[in-house]
Amino acid sequence: MTPRASLALAAWLVVGAAGAATPTERDLSVGWQFRLSHTATPAGANPAGEPSAQLKRLRQCTSSCERLDEWQPATVPGAIQTDLLARKNIPDPFWRDNEASLQWIGLSDWDYQLSFDVDAATLRRGHVDLVFDGLDTFAEVSLNGKKLLSADNMFRRWRLPVKNTLHAGSNTLTVHLQSPIARVQPWLLKQPYALPGEFDSSFGDEPKGKQTSNYVRKANYQYGWDWGPRYVTLGIWRPVRLESWDDLRVADFHIAQTEVEADVARLDAQLDVRADKAGAVTLKVEWTGPDGKTGSEQREVALKAGENHVGVPLSIDHPQRWWPVGYGEPNLYRFHASVDSGGSTVAGADRETGLRKVELRRDKDQWGRGFAFVVNGVPVFAKGANLIPYDAFPSRVSSERLEAILRSAKDANMNMLRMWGGGTYQDDAFYAAADRLGVMIWQDFMFGGAVTPYDDAFRESTRIEAEEQVTRLRDHPSIVLWAGNNEVQTGWEEWPDRIDFQKFVNADEVKKVEDGMRTIFDKTLRKVVSDLSPQVPYWASSPSTDFDGPANVETDGDMHYWKVWSGSEPISHYLDITPRFQSEYGLQSFPVMATIKAFAQPDDMQPESKVMRAHQKFANGDGNQRLLLYIRQEYGEPKDFPSFVYLSQVMQAEGIELAAEHLRSARPRNMGTLYWQLNDVWPGASWASVDYFNRWKALQFHAKRFYAPVDVVPLRRDGKTDVFAVSDRTSDFDAVLRTRVYDMGGKLLRETRIPVHATALSSTRAATVDDATLLKGADPRKTVAAFDLLEDGKPAAHHLLYFGAARTLALPTPELTTSLHDGAHGLVLTVSAKRLARAVWVDTGDIDVRLSQNAFDLLPGESIDIEVDGSTDTEALRRAITVRSLVDALKETTP
């Protein structure tokens, strides 16, 4: 059994104690084969109006694909693209511009087949169920020639009774997968209109404005996004198993948290039991706390034949509650339930969860209506980012990779990630890791922004999907919000294509579409969460006011702010907006050169090369010009391609830092900053702060500092600087604000100190000072101010302030030096600067090690010790290290 399959089984439950009558499971994820289907779905018209045929598409493949209509070994869980890649039928989908030549795969139909033996003992069981945890997406399932299922939702789990279809000996399981585009497009082209979607295909397989993805319950991002490729996958993307049981099965085990306070936690251990016949059983629930303390309760229950929902009340005194990052320990309790009948255990289940109380507080105040997460009674300022899928092909993401990205978030002092709605619901391994790390998850339902159909079948499929996913995930304490969708409401209200659609379609139809969206997001999904997970808040859309008025407003609810970047407004405009919670905003950058080399050749290393445009999805490749716009605006002209890459990261990091620190300084008016985005789905230009290979960009290093529990924030506007002491600590502390003004060459011009009482869970204005007072006649182009918040004489936070955009400054050559030596806990790299060094970047080339600090400024004469984490040859690392600063990247420096 693969590790992924094991995780899926643990997540979907079943059972425990040994015995002849207990349910058993058999993994069916090994031994599959695939082939190009002999019976293709009739394809839609291509832009020329000619139908595309199944075997005609095969001509786009390489010569190695000639025998694809014969059975080949497959990997399950997986996707057809990853199977083709494993067999070397196709080149690397991420290499250069291969994406365009591989679109035929998602336009074709494919078959999967498994032969497996079943013994007589299995057939003697009362029930034998075939369970697919995920089929992608239109799939016809047959067993021994008998059709069992027509699946149509990537996000659902399918349980099929097969006792009467199986036979002793060899059995054949077949899954026929239909191209979602080829299946839906002929129907869509006959409709009077197409609902507004997201991103049109760049490859001509769908006419402009005729997107099929709206109508399919499948991961939206796989149709292409402005940060990722278009790979429309098909496959058995989650584990498959055979479950055998007799009279009774535990279908779900849930710890409902009725009341969680410091002195007591009142819980209800709820079990869903499927029984063939009525009878009395004993339910016993045992718990173990994080400190090893144990307890148990049991009760006698009379089951009826069929579905039973039963519970065992529990009470835990002085519970060790679950806390998010920075507020306490993410304590977890283990629960075991057993069902006993006739003196023996016939079924059991296990669950791990954290005990906590979550509230979305929306008090009215002088700024409008708030939006604040409150955990165990403590208002938490949310610090984090948006999370997108980990890969274009989700089945190849390991649990180790899931956790590594989460650890990168925690290491950067993030306490919340928003699981964006255009991807997939993650494996239980992801949420379990978030539970252990104390990272809060804002969980969108999987709607990425497209307008949804209003037919009953679509809504019913969505309801069942939501019930299954909420049931699966509701015991993860990390999930603190369920949100209906990403940008559906604000798109309908504001986006030009939606406005045009509303003008084009008659008023009655517009109302049906609008009412249909509101029914799904305000009623259907809200009811699912209220019924199944009432202790977690529901939010209708992001951004929104929860249908209490227009979406995406500054005074209520959460806000996505894209006038900077998408609207080309200056980065300084981040200071002009102070929403109640900023759940999206961002600036792009390229990944480091080592990552770029993983998808490009030396000849490709130009911003406007074909390959760089292919890996820049914003504005169909024109995003590199947007990057240059902001680089030139803030810094000047890059002298070469590596400098362009470096400057893109500097611009992104310093821009998002300005926005995030402004938002933190505005607490409690603002109570959250989630920038777009944490991670990448493939190697390329994007808004990510951690690239596809989990290499930190400059922004991630900056985030580690600007999301620190204590920060000092100088915000300069119109020649005046307000300095804030920002604290996420739960108790007040006294500090000293030290201000030093330096000549960039090294001379200390002046120093002042003032006492500061930093209030708990707040932003305290520590000082207001104008340029004239700071400079006292010094040249602003050659001067820097350093602000330090000192606690017990030591810096608790540090920040530099410049008097103008970097391109206007007379930055000196810093004369950086480095030394690599052994420290108390491993290798240490010391970087020193003779004069001011702006935006220092240490590059380790192709050697993957994690540095404790990077992307920093150094004052004249200052040094920094950087811990090196990772196994490597010291001499090889010494040779690989290069260090640069801002002056090294520009064609010329303004004198």
Side-chain angles (χ1 to χ4, degrees), residues 323-347:
W323 292 94
V325 171
Y327 292 83
E329 293 299 315
N331 295 305
L332 297 173
Y333 281 75
R334 297 192 307 276
F335 295 84
H336 175 72
S338 59
V339 183
D340 294 347
S341 177
S344 62
T345 299
V346 295

PDB file of all heavy atoms in Angstrom, residues 323-347:
ATOM      1  N   TRP A 323      -4.203  25.775  20.321  1.00  0.00           N
ATOM      2  CA  TRP A 323      -3.949  27.192  20.055  1.00  0.00           C
ATOM      3  C   TRP A 323      -3.216  27.343  18.722  1.00  0.00           C
ATOM      4  O   TRP A 323      -2.393  26.496  18.360  1.00  0.00           O
ATOM      5  CB  TRP A 323      -3.093  27.808  21.156  1.00  0.00           C
ATOM      6  CG  TRP A 323      -3.781  27.915  22.473  1.00  0.00           C
ATOM      7  CD1 TRP A 323      -3.743  27.015  23.499  1.00  0.00           C
ATOM      8  CD2 TRP A 323      -4.629  28.982  22.914  1.00  0.00           C
ATOM      9  NE1 TRP A 323      -4.495  27.455  24.561  1.00  0.00           N
ATOM     10  CE2 TRP A 323      -5.059  28.664  24.224  1.00  0.00           C
ATOM     11  CE3 TRP A 323      -5.068  30.180  22.331  1.00  0.00           C
ATOM     12  CZ2 TRP A 323      -5.899  29.504  24.960  1.00  0.00           C
ATOM     13  CZ3 TRP A 323      -5.897  31.004  23.070  1.00  0.00           C
ATOM     14  CH2 TRP A 323      -6.306  30.677  24.356  1.00  0.00           C
ATOM     15  N   PRO A 324      -3.470  28.448  18.018  1.00  0.00           N
ATOM     16  CA  PRO A 324      -2.707  28.705  16.790  1.00  0.00           C
ATOM     17  C   PRO A 324      -1.301  29.211  17.087  1.00  0.00           C
ATOM     18  O   PRO A 324      -0.978  29.570  18.228  1.00  0.00           O
ATOM     19  CB  PRO A 324      -3.541  29.786  16.090  1.00  0.00           C
ATOM     20  CG  PRO A 324      -4.293  30.475  17.179  1.00  0.00           C
ATOM     21  CD  PRO A 324      -4.535  29.437  18.238  1.00  0.00           C
ATOM     22  N   VAL A 325      -0.483  29.256  16.064  1.00  0.00           N
ATOM     23  CA  VAL A 325       0.908  29.704  16.163  1.00  0.00           C
ATOM     24  C   VAL A 325       0.982  31.031  16.919  1.00  0.00           C
ATOM     25  O   VAL A 325       0.280  31.989  16.605  1.00  0.00           O
ATOM     26  CB  VAL A 325       1.514  29.888  14.755  1.00  0.00           C
ATOM     27  CG1 VAL A 325       2.887  30.553  14.845  1.00  0.00           C
ATOM     28  CG2 VAL A 325       1.626  28.548  14.042  1.00  0.00           C
ATOM     29  N   GLY A 326       1.840  31.069  17.932  1.00  0.00           N
ATOM     30  CA  GLY A 326       2.099  32.300  18.664  1.00  0.00           C
ATOM     31  C   GLY A 326       1.215  32.521  19.877  1.00  0.00           C
ATOM     32  O   GLY A 326       1.447  33.468  20.642  1.00  0.00           O
ATOM     33  N   TYR A 327       0.211  31.657  20.080  1.00  0.00           N
ATOM     34  CA  TYR A 327      -0.730  31.892  21.178  1.00  0.00           C
ATOM     35  C   TYR A 327      -0.749  30.763  22.198  1.00  0.00           C
ATOM     36  O   TYR A 327      -1.448  30.837  23.207  1.00  0.00           O
ATOM     37  CB  TYR A 327      -2.142  32.112  20.623  1.00  0.00           C
ATOM     38  CG  TYR A 327      -2.244  33.409  19.860  1.00  0.00           C
ATOM     39  CD1 TYR A 327      -1.852  33.485  18.524  1.00  0.00           C
ATOM     40  CD2 TYR A 327      -2.689  34.572  20.476  1.00  0.00           C
ATOM     41  CE1 TYR A 327      -1.911  34.674  17.823  1.00  0.00           C
ATOM     42  CE2 TYR A 327      -2.760  35.767  19.789  1.00  0.00           C
ATOM     43  CZ  TYR A 327      -2.357  35.815  18.453  1.00  0.00           C
ATOM     44  OH  TYR A 327      -2.418  37.002  17.775  1.00  0.00           O
ATOM     45  N   GLY A 328      -0.017  29.723  21.955  1.00  0.00           N
ATOM     46  CA  GLY A 328       0.015  28.579  22.845  1.00  0.00           C
ATOM     47  C   GLY A 328       0.326  27.324  22.048  1.00  0.00           C
ATOM     48  O   GLY A 328       0.649  27.379  20.859  1.00  0.00           O
ATOM     49  N   GLU A 329       0.221  26.177  22.706  1.00  0.00           N
ATOM     50  CA  GLU A 329       0.548  24.914  22.064  1.00  0.00           C
ATOM     51  C   GLU A 329      -0.652  24.375  21.270  1.00  0.00           C
ATOM     52  O   GLU A 329      -1.795  24.480  21.721  1.00  0.00           O
ATOM     53  CB  GLU A 329       0.965  23.876  23.106  1.00  0.00           C
ATOM     54  CG  GLU A 329       2.267  24.199  23.809  1.00  0.00           C
ATOM     55  CD  GLU A 329       3.430  24.278  22.832  1.00  0.00           C
ATOM     56  OE1 GLU A 329       3.541  23.391  21.971  1.00  0.00           O
ATOM     57  OE2 GLU A 329       4.221  25.238  22.945  1.00  0.00           O
ATOM     58  N   PRO A 330      -0.393  23.755  20.119  1.00  0.00           N
ATOM     59  CA  PRO A 330      -1.478  23.135  19.336  1.00  0.00           C
ATOM     60  C   PRO A 330      -1.796  21.735  19.882  1.00  0.00           C
ATOM     61  O   PRO A 330      -1.543  20.714  19.240  1.00  0.00           O
ATOM     62  CB  PRO A 330      -0.891  23.083  17.923  1.00  0.00           C
ATOM     63  CG  PRO A 330       0.587  22.952  18.135  1.00  0.00           C
ATOM     64  CD  PRO A 330       0.900  23.719  19.394  1.00  0.00           C
ATOM     65  N   ASN A 331      -2.361  21.703  21.083  1.00  0.00           N
ATOM     66  CA  ASN A 331      -2.587  20.437  21.784  1.00  0.00           C
ATOM     67  C   ASN A 331      -3.628  19.578  21.073  1.00  0.00           C
ATOM     68  O   ASN A 331      -4.650  20.085  20.600  1.00  0.00           O
ATOM     69  CB  ASN A 331      -3.053  20.711  23.217  1.00  0.00           C
ATOM     70  CG  ASN A 331      -1.990  21.404  24.045  1.00  0.00           C
ATOM     71  OD1 ASN A 331      -0.870  20.925  24.152  1.00  0.00           O
ATOM     72  ND2 ASN A 331      -2.330  22.559  24.618  1.00  0.00           N
ATOM     73  N   LEU A 332      -3.386  18.267  21.042  1.00  0.00           N
ATOM     74  CA  LEU A 332      -4.281  17.331  20.380  1.00  0.00           C
ATOM     75  C   LEU A 332      -4.646  16.199  21.326  1.00  0.00           C
ATOM     76  O   LEU A 332      -3.806  15.699  22.083  1.00  0.00           O
ATOM     77  CB  LEU A 332      -3.630  16.760  19.122  1.00  0.00           C
ATOM     78  CG  LEU A 332      -3.297  17.769  18.009  1.00  0.00           C
ATOM     79  CD1 LEU A 332      -2.506  17.096  16.896  1.00  0.00           C
ATOM     80  CD2 LEU A 332      -4.570  18.401  17.451  1.00  0.00           C
ATOM     81  N   TYR A 333      -5.911  15.784  21.251  1.00  0.00           N
ATOM     82  CA  TYR A 333      -6.418  14.647  22.000  1.00  0.00           C
ATOM     83  C   TYR A 333      -6.679  13.489  21.038  1.00  0.00           C
ATOM     84  O   TYR A 333      -7.086  13.699  19.881  1.00  0.00           O
ATOM     85  CB  TYR A 333      -7.735  15.006  22.704  1.00  0.00           C
ATOM     86  CG  TYR A 333      -7.565  15.804  23.978  1.00  0.00           C
ATOM     87  CD1 TYR A 333      -7.245  17.151  23.937  1.00  0.00           C
ATOM     88  CD2 TYR A 333      -7.740  15.195  25.215  1.00  0.00           C
ATOM     89  CE1 TYR A 333      -7.097  17.896  25.106  1.00  0.00           C
ATOM     90  CE2 TYR A 333      -7.597  15.924  26.397  1.00  0.00           C
ATOM     91  CZ  TYR A 333      -7.273  17.270  26.333  1.00  0.00           C
ATOM     92  OH  TYR A 333      -7.119  17.996  27.501  1.00  0.00           O
ATOM     93  N   ARG A 334      -6.470  12.261  21.529  1.00  0.00           N
ATOM     94  CA  ARG A 334      -6.771  11.057  20.758  1.00  0.00           C
ATOM     95  C   ARG A 334      -8.012  10.383  21.347  1.00  0.00           C
ATOM     96  O   ARG A 334      -8.124  10.225  22.573  1.00  0.00           O
ATOM     97  CB  ARG A 334      -5.596  10.083  20.767  1.00  0.00           C
ATOM     98  CG  ARG A 334      -4.350  10.633  20.122  1.00  0.00           C
ATOM     99  CD  ARG A 334      -3.313   9.534  19.900  1.00  0.00           C
ATOM    100  NE  ARG A 334      -3.008   8.781  21.111  1.00  0.00           N
ATOM    101  CZ  ARG A 334      -2.135   9.163  22.038  1.00  0.00           C
ATOM    102  NH1 ARG A 334      -1.489  10.325  21.895  1.00  0.00           N
ATOM    103  NH2 ARG A 334      -1.899   8.404  23.097  1.00  0.00           N
ATOM    104  N   PHE A 335      -8.918   9.977  20.460  1.00  0.00           N
ATOM    105  CA  PHE A 335     -10.162   9.322  20.877  1.00  0.00           C
ATOM    106  C   PHE A 335     -10.276   7.979  20.161  1.00  0.00           C
ATOM    107  O   PHE A 335      -9.968   7.870  18.970  1.00  0.00           O
ATOM    108  CB  PHE A 335     -11.372  10.188  20.526  1.00  0.00           C
ATOM    109  CG  PHE A 335     -11.428  11.492  21.262  1.00  0.00           C
ATOM    110  CD1 PHE A 335     -10.725  12.604  20.790  1.00  0.00           C
ATOM    111  CD2 PHE A 335     -12.162  11.629  22.424  1.00  0.00           C
ATOM    112  CE1 PHE A 335     -10.765  13.818  21.463  1.00  0.00           C
ATOM    113  CE2 PHE A 335     -12.203  12.834  23.109  1.00  0.00           C
ATOM    114  CZ  PHE A 335     -11.503  13.935  22.628  1.00  0.00           C
ATOM    115  N   HIS A 336     -10.720   6.971  20.891  1.00  0.00           N
ATOM    116  CA  HIS A 336     -10.977   5.656  20.294  1.00  0.00           C
ATOM    117  C   HIS A 336     -12.391   5.218  20.660  1.00  0.00           C
ATOM    118  O   HIS A 336     -12.776   5.248  21.835  1.00  0.00           O
ATOM    119  CB  HIS A 336      -9.983   4.608  20.788  1.00  0.00           C
ATOM    120  CG  HIS A 336     -10.302   3.216  20.294  1.00  0.00           C
ATOM    121  ND1 HIS A 336     -10.123   2.839  18.988  1.00  0.00           N
ATOM    122  CD2 HIS A 336     -10.818   2.126  20.935  1.00  0.00           C
ATOM    123  CE1 HIS A 336     -10.489   1.582  18.830  1.00  0.00           C
ATOM    124  NE2 HIS A 336     -10.924   1.129  20.001  1.00  0.00           N
ATOM    125  N   ALA A 337     -13.169   4.837  19.652  1.00  0.00           N
ATOM    126  CA  ALA A 337     -14.524   4.345  19.870  1.00  0.00           C
ATOM    127  C   ALA A 337     -14.580   2.863  19.517  1.00  0.00           C
ATOM    128  O   ALA A 337     -13.988   2.433  18.518  1.00  0.00           O
ATOM    129  CB  ALA A 337     -15.513   5.132  19.015  1.00  0.00           C
ATOM    130  N   SER A 338     -15.279   2.092  20.331  1.00  0.00           N
ATOM    131  CA  SER A 338     -15.477   0.678  20.032  1.00  0.00           C
ATOM    132  C   SER A 338     -16.948   0.337  20.158  1.00  0.00           C
ATOM    133  O   SER A 338     -17.677   0.914  20.982  1.00  0.00           O
ATOM    134  CB  SER A 338     -14.640  -0.200  20.962  1.00  0.00           C
ATOM    135  OG  SER A 338     -14.971   0.034  22.317  1.00  0.00           O
ATOM    136  N   VAL A 339     -17.381  -0.576  19.322  1.00  0.00           N
ATOM    137  CA  VAL A 339     -18.754  -1.074  19.345  1.00  0.00           C
ATOM    138  C   VAL A 339     -18.682  -2.544  19.742  1.00  0.00           C
ATOM    139  O   VAL A 339     -18.097  -3.366  19.012  1.00  0.00           O
ATOM    140  CB  VAL A 339     -19.434  -0.908  17.972  1.00  0.00           C
ATOM    141  CG1 VAL A 339     -20.887  -1.368  18.048  1.00  0.00           C
ATOM    142  CG2 VAL A 339     -19.356   0.540  17.493  1.00  0.00           C
ATOM    143  N   ASP A 340     -19.254  -2.879  20.898  1.00  0.00           N
ATOM    144  CA  ASP A 340     -19.212  -4.244  21.408  1.00  0.00           C
ATOM    145  C   ASP A 340     -20.591  -4.881  21.325  1.00  0.00           C
ATOM    146  O   ASP A 340     -21.614  -4.242  21.636  1.00  0.00           O
ATOM    147  CB  ASP A 340     -18.738  -4.270  22.861  1.00  0.00           C
ATOM    148  CG  ASP A 340     -17.288  -3.827  22.996  1.00  0.00           C
ATOM    149  OD1 ASP A 340     -16.594  -3.752  21.960  1.00  0.00           O
ATOM    150  OD2 ASP A 340     -16.866  -3.536  24.127  1.00  0.00           O
ATOM    151  N   SER A 341     -20.600  -6.145  20.905  1.00  0.00           N
ATOM    152  CA  SER A 341     -21.846  -6.900  20.831  1.00  0.00           C
ATOM    153  C   SER A 341     -21.561  -8.334  21.257  1.00  0.00           C
ATOM    154  O   SER A 341     -20.610  -8.955  20.753  1.00  0.00           O
ATOM    155  CB  SER A 341     -22.413  -6.882  19.412  1.00  0.00           C
ATOM    156  OG  SER A 341     -23.599  -7.667  19.325  1.00  0.00           O
ATOM    157  N   GLY A 342     -22.375  -8.832  22.202  1.00  0.00           N
ATOM    158  CA  GLY A 342     -22.191 -10.204  22.642  1.00  0.00           C
ATOM    159  C   GLY A 342     -20.853 -10.462  23.283  1.00  0.00           C
ATOM    160  O   GLY A 342     -20.306 -11.568  23.165  1.00  0.00           O
ATOM    161  N   GLY A 343     -20.278  -9.445  23.894  1.00  0.00           N
ATOM    162  CA  GLY A 343     -19.018  -9.620  24.595  1.00  0.00           C
ATOM    163  C   GLY A 343     -17.779  -9.464  23.744  1.00  0.00           C
ATOM    164  O   GLY A 343     -16.659  -9.605  24.246  1.00  0.00           O
ATOM    165  N   SER A 344     -17.919  -9.165  22.447  1.00  0.00           N
ATOM    166  CA  SER A 344     -16.747  -8.979  21.587  1.00  0.00           C
ATOM    167  C   SER A 344     -16.881  -7.674  20.804  1.00  0.00           C
ATOM    168  O   SER A 344     -17.985  -7.179  20.569  1.00  0.00           O
ATOM    169  CB  SER A 344     -16.582 -10.152  20.616  1.00  0.00           C
ATOM    170  OG  SER A 344     -17.703 -10.234  19.767  1.00  0.00           O
ATOM    171  N   THR A 345     -15.748  -7.123  20.422  1.00  0.00           N
ATOM    172  CA  THR A 345     -15.724  -5.881  19.649  1.00  0.00           C
ATOM    173  C   THR A 345     -15.985  -6.196  18.177  1.00  0.00           C
ATOM    174  O   THR A 345     -15.285  -7.018  17.576  1.00  0.00           O
ATOM    175  CB  THR A 345     -14.372  -5.173  19.795  1.00  0.00           C
ATOM    176  OG1 THR A 345     -14.176  -4.845  21.177  1.00  0.00           O
ATOM    177  CG2 THR A 345     -14.332  -3.905  18.959  1.00  0.00           C
ATOM    178  N   VAL A 346     -16.999  -5.535  17.623  1.00  0.00           N
ATOM    179  CA  VAL A 346     -17.357  -5.792  16.224  1.00  0.00           C
ATOM    180  C   VAL A 346     -16.949  -4.653  15.296  1.00  0.00           C
ATOM    181  O   VAL A 346     -16.925  -4.822  14.072  1.00  0.00           O
ATOM    182  CB  VAL A 346     -18.870  -6.072  16.082  1.00  0.00           C
ATOM    183  CG1 VAL A 346     -19.227  -7.357  16.811  1.00  0.00           C
ATOM    184  CG2 VAL A 346     -19.696  -4.901  16.616  1.00  0.00           C
ATOM    185  N   ALA A 347     -16.636  -3.504  15.843  1.00  0.00           N
ATOM    186  CA  ALA A 347     -16.187  -2.378  15.016  1.00  0.00           C
ATOM    187  C   ALA A 347     -15.549  -1.334  15.910  1.00  0.00           C
ATOM    188  O   ALA A 347     -15.790  -1.298  17.121  1.00  0.00           O
ATOM    189  CB  ALA A 347     -17.340  -1.767  14.218  1.00  0.00           C
TER     190      ALA A 347
END
